[in-house]
């Protein structure tokens, strides 16, 4: 059944009640009407008959009196006699009250008597006789008829007033009856309609409750309704929708949970601490290593998560997060020197930080995943290797020096004459020995720089002295290649605050490269000039230059431009950079292929030192 039909049916008790009230009031009205009709039919006609009887009687009497007074006119009462007869006949047919039949009979007989006397009166030959008849018979007969009519009138008037009162009482009763009927019908109608409507709307409540439960998160909530109406259809639609959503939720949630567990298991499996931070620096997640090594409590409320964490670790995490968010790019450490030392479980360990941005839905960096790579073992190996290399290099030095002295003595023929061939071989051996010595020196300096052990004996030095000394050292090799070295010191160039021996190493490296890569007979310029709070030194040659793509790696360890002549280990520029940086200066290169190379570096001026 359709909802509309049901709604109409639910209202039907009210309609029935209304009809009932209608029927009751209809009946009551009819009954009241009937009562009034009865009064009219029963009594009004009799009253009319009595009155007309009296009226006609009066007329007849008046005529009789006129005749008596000598008016010899035709009595002319025939019309009234007929009327009276008619009225009496009508009255005889309308006897409704008790005593009315008797009264009517009495009236009829007295009228019959009157008519006989009247006939005699009319027939009397003389006035005297008429007068006598009138006085003796007609007058009393007249009174008799009149009384009879009055009796009839009284009976009917009494009946009328009695019936009228009765009708009034009935009307009063009917009023109560109708009122009671209206109240009962209204109560019954409302109660029945209310019950039916409530029953009708109960399914809506079932649907509503299911929707509410579903909305509150109970994905199993369904509305179970049978039937073909619209509410049952609505329930069926809702159930279908809930099934879909439940399936969708089960699948997407399940996938999400599995993905999250897999991701957590993966990062928990990593031996290196992993910390996931949001854009505000709040910890979103950590792996087990981060919990145990860094002592980060990801489950603690914001502000408590770093309670037990080292200040340096906090600062590092903040720095990496800020870097990743600002640059929208991963953070990659430049080298071992960025390693962070962390005391954990009584041992000191080294961690190299890396960070990767985590993108939100809108492509905005919403946080950073920081990995602290445990490089303790690597670091130890590196240190071991450095120590080994330093020890070996150190052990090489003394025998190399005596070897070179021995070769020198032999080559200079201080210990005996040599053939030209022998002398040539010894000169070559001396060159190799020198190169070997230079490499051993480089290696020793390298290990010093790498271990951060460069002790500087700084003092105020004139840049001109430094340059002159460097030129002096390389005069021999420059002359050998017919290269001229020019020194240009700008006026007002301040003294530098530096370790002159270490700076000589920088000059040596740059100048020996310049000589080596200069064409024969070319010029080399060495300049010094004030540069803010420091002094800038330039070493420029007219060599082949360095291709741009190789310039970035020049200062790295063991880097050599491909195709460079043999003889170096690619350590010179690395050592030069280490020494310049130890002084607090900077180093760089200006080179373009084909038009020479200029290496420059800065050293703080003495006034600032
Ligand atoms: P090496 O001891 O092998 O020369 P360096 O660190 O001193 O190592 O130099 C690294 C590389 O830089 C060299 O192999 C060379 O190719 C290049 N280089 C250095 N100085 C110059 C220069 N003045 N002109 C051209 N190339 C140079």
């Amino acid at each position: 059944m359709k909802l509309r039909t049901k709604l109409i049916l639910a209202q039907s008790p009210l309609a029935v009640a209304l009809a009932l009230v209608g029927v009751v009031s209809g009946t009551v009205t009819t009954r009241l009407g009937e009562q009034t009709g009865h009064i009219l039919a029963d009594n009004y006609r009799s009253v009319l008959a009595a009155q007309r009887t009296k009226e006609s009687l009066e007329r007849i009497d008046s005529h009789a009196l006129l005749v008596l007074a000598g008016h010899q006119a035709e009595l002319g009462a025939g019309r009234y006699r007929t009327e009276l007869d008619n009225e009496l006949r009508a009255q005889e047919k309308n006897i409704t009250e008790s005593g009315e039949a008797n009264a009517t009979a009495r009236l009829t007989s007295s009228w019959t008597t009157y008519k006989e006397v009247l006939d005699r009166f009319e027939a009397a030959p003389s006035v005297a006789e008429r007068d006598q008849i009138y006085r003796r018979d007609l007058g009393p007969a007249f009174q008799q008829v009149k009384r009879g009519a009055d009796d009839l009138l009284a009976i009917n008037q009494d009946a009328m007033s009695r019936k009228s009162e009765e009708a009034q009482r009935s009307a009063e009763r009917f009023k109560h009856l109708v009122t009671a009927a209206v109240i009962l019908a209204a109560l019954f109608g409302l109660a029945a309609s209310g019950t039916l409507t409530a029953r009708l709307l109960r399914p809506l409540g079932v649907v509503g409750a299911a929707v509410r439960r579903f909305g509150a998160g109970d994905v199993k909530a369904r509305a179970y309704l049978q039937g073909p109406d619209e509410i049952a259809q609505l329930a069926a639609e809702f159930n279908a929708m809930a099934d879909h959503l439940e399936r969708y939720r089960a699948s997407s949630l399940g996938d999400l949970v599995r993905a999250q567990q897999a991701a957590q298991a993966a990062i928990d499996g990593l031996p290196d601490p992993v910390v996931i931070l949001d854009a505000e620096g709040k910890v979103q997640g950590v792996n087990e290593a981060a919990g145990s090594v860094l002592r980060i409590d990801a489950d603690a409320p914001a502000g408590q998560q770093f309670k037990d964490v080292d200040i340096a670790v906090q600062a590092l995490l903040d720095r990496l997060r800020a870097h990743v968010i600002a640059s929208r790019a991963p953070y990659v450490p430049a080298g071992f020197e960025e390693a962070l030392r962390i005391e954990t479980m009584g041992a000191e360990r080294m961690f190299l930080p890396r960070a990767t941005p985590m993108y939100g839905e809108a492509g905005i960096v919403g946080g950073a995943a920081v990995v602290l790579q445990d490089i303790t073992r690597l670091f130890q190996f590196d240190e071991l290797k450095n120590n080994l290399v330093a020890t070996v290099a150190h052990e090489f030095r003394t025998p190399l020096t005596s070897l070179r002295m021995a070769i020198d003595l032999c080559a200079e023929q201080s210990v005996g004459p040599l053939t030209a061939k022998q002398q040539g071989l010894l000169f070559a051996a001396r060159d190799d020995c020198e190169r070997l010595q230079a490499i051993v020196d480089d290696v020793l300096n390298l290990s010093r720089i790498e271990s951060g052990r460069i002790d500087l004996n700084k003092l105020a030095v004139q840049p001109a002295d430094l340059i002159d000394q460097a030129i002096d050292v390389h005069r021999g090799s420059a002359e050998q290649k017919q290269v001229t070295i020019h020194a240009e010191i700008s006026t007002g160039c301040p003294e530098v605050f530096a370790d002159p021996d270490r700076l000589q190493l920088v000059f040596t490296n740059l100048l020996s490269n310049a000589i080596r890569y200069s064409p024969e007979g070319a010029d080399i310029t060495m300049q010094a000039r004030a540069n803010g709070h420091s002094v800038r030194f330039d070493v420029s040659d007219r060599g082949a230059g360095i291709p741009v793509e190789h310039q970035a790696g020049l200062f790295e360890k063991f880097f050599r431009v491909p195709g460079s002549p043999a003889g170096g280990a690619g350590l010179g520029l690395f050592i030069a950079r280490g020494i310049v940086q130890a002084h607090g200066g900077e180093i760089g290169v200006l080179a373009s292929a084909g038009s020479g190379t200029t290496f420059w570096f800065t050293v703080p001026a003495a006034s600032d030192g």
Side-chain angles (χ1 to χ4, degrees), residues 442 509-510 512-518 539 541 543-547 550 553-556 558-565 567-575 589 591 596-599:
D442 276 355
N509 274 315
L510 298 184
S512 61
N513 277 344
I515 295 168
R516 187 181 313 159
Y517 297 107
S518 280
V539 180
D541 62 52
I546 302 164
H550 297 306
L554 276 182
F555 298 96
E556 295 304 321
F558 304 116
F559 178 85
R560 309 203 69 226
V561 173
S564 301
L571 285 174
L573 289 177
F574 177 77
I575 290 165
V589 66
T597 310
T598 299
F599 280 95

Side-chain angles (χ1 to χ4, degrees), residues 317-365:
L317 291 176
D318 270 350
R319 186 165 61 82
L320 294 190
R321 177 177 56 85
H323 176 277
V324 161
I325 287 171
S327 67
R328 296 167 58 86
Y331 176 86
V332 183
F336 277 178
E337 58 273 19
E338 287 196 35
L340 186 74
R341 241 173 248 275
I342 297 176
E343 197 80 26
T344 161
M345 291 177 270
E348 200 171 64
R349 289 165 75 178
M350 302 296 290
F351 293 95
L352 204 55
R354 289 169 190 279
T356 318
M358 291 194 309
Y359 293 97
E361 276 173 28
I364 299 165
V365 180

Side-chain angles (χ1 to χ4, degrees), residues 257-331:
V257 167
R258 274 192 296 280
Q260 200 266 338
Q261 282 170 346
Q264 188 63 41
I267 67 164
D268 274 345
L270 291 176
D272 297 330
V274 177
V275 184
I276 295 163
L277 299 162
D278 69 8
E280 280 75 45
K282 190 172 175 298
V283 176
Q284 296 292 304
V286 294
N287 67 350
E288 286 170 3
S292 61
V293 175
L294 306 180
R295 294 186 290 277
I296 291 177
D297 186 358
D299 300 326
Q304 302 277 303
Q305 296 173 320
F306 293 102
K307 209 167 53 146
D308 303 327
V309 180
D310 198 291
I311 303 271
V313 175
Q314 284 185 44
L316 173 76
L317 291 176
D318 270 350
R319 186 165 61 82
L320 294 190
R321 177 177 56 85
H323 176 277
V324 161
I325 287 171
S327 67
R328 296 167 58 86
Y331 176 86

Side-chain angles (χ1 to χ4, degrees), residues 513-535:
N513 277 344
I515 295 168
R516 187 181 313 159
Y517 297 107
S518 280
E520 286 208 4
D523 288 345
I524 290 175
T525 320
M526 293 184 77
Q527 289 175 309
R529 60 174 186 274
N531 179 45
H533 295 292
S534 53
V535 173

